[in-house]
Amino acid sequence: MTAPAPDSLAAFEKAKGFMPVHEGLAFHRAAVEAAALGLPLLEVGTYCGRSTILLADAARGAGVTALTVDHHRGSEEQQPGWEYHDPSVVDPEVGLMDTLPTFRRTLHAAGLEEHVVALVGRSPQVARVWGGPLGLVFIDGGHTDEHATADYEGWVPHLAQGGLLVIHDVFPDPADGGQAPYRIYRRAVESGAFTELVPTDSLRVLRRTGPGI
Ligand code: SAH
Ligand code: MG
């Protein structure tokens, strides 16, 4: 079955986060396809678990694990005073953002906790200690060139042949959004190591079909 379970879809629609429903459904289709490889599916950029729900639903269907990486302190544009700041996810004791509690509640309410391993830390640091092959790498973390490039270089080498690289917030026109995700998308295309599948708005899906990245 390709569509998310009704409970998962309802939980996704309710969850705090940044993925619109039509892109979410495309993301879920990619995750279902990749999960058939029998390998873990990895997300960079958990935030409050919105897209994680769809990854976890796909993982459950195939009996694999969804991995999701985030330091839970928020990206640059989510800090106080910036466009995407949400004061309800600030830890008052520490005075910094902490999206981990909201993520945990969201995943629990969706009934998907047992299908997810949350990796709390900086993406490049987690990537350096990660050893196994992955069926899917979803890049939706920091949107500066530094972060997007580190996510690409850290995780794509772990992507199995036949696995899917999914990148969110790819905007070819700078008027529509920041260019860092677009630049790593171009890098993947120009590497010759991927075959691109049908895009859905800013969500790009590429299958690893060759050597090199
Ligand atoms: N996928 C989410 C949105 C992610 S927002 C959704 O669908 O709603 C981007 C997230 O990336 C933020 O939570 C931020 O904390 C995280 N992030 C940014 N840079 C990071 C880094 N270098 N390592 C780990 N997480 C990072
Ligand atoms: Mg995004």
Side-chain angles (χ1 to χ4, degrees):
M1 189 176 91
T2 304
D7 284 0
S8 302
L9 187 58
F12 167 78
E13 288 180 325
K14 251 180 70 182
K16 238 186 231 306
F18 302 103
M19 184 171 280
V21 173
H22 68 296
E23 289 181 336
L25 294 174
F27 174 53
H28 182 267
R29 281 194 295 276
V32 168
E33 187 182 326
L37 292 172
L39 297 168
L41 312 173
L42 175 115
E43 165 178 77
V44 181
T46 317
Y47 193 59
C48 296
R50 186 172 164 96
S51 47
T52 318
I53 289 171
L54 300 176
L55 198 65
D57 181 279
R60 174 175 62 189
V64 301
T65 294
L67 304 159
T68 184
V69 184
D70 203 307
H71 49 52
H72 288 281
R73 295 298 188 203
S75 297
E76 281 78 358
E77 71 278 10
Q78 296 162 351
Q79 300 305 317
W82 293 85
E83 188 181 355
Y84 294 100
H85 183 61
D86 177 346
S88 75
V89 293
V90 172
D91 176 343
E93 193 176 316
V94 173
L96 294 173
M97 278 182 66
D98 185 359
T99 48
L100 186 58
T102 311
F103 161 66
R104 300 264 294 155
R105 287 184 208 112
T106 300
L107 203 61
H108 174 76
L112 290 164
E113 273 186 317
E114 66 186 277
H115 306 285
V116 179
V117 172
L119 301 160
V120 180
R122 298 186 170 274
S123 166
Q125 204 176 344
V126 182
R128 273 198 296 279
V129 298
W130 183 259
L134 300 168
L136 178 142
V137 170
F138 173 49
I139 301 183
D140 193 23
H143 284 0
T144 63
D145 278 307
E146 182 198 345
H147 291 311
T149 300
D151 291 341
Y152 183 86
E153 292 179 353
W155 291 107
V156 173
H158 297 292
L159 185 63
Q161 288 296 333
L164 298 181
L165 171 63
V166 183
I167 307 175
H168 195 220
D169 304 307
V170 170
F171 299 113
D173 183 347
D176 296 328
Q179 295 292 284
Y182 176 65
R183 281 194 273 269
I184 58 165
Y185 157 75
R186 290 302 314 164
R187 182 167 165 180
V189 169
E190 282 158 20
S191 74
F194 295 92
T195 305
E196 186 165 8
L197 310 186
V198 178
T200 302
D201 271 351
S202 78
L203 192 89
R204 303 302 156 100
V205 184
L206 303 114
R207 180 179 289 116
R208 189 168 190 191
T209 48
I213 55 159

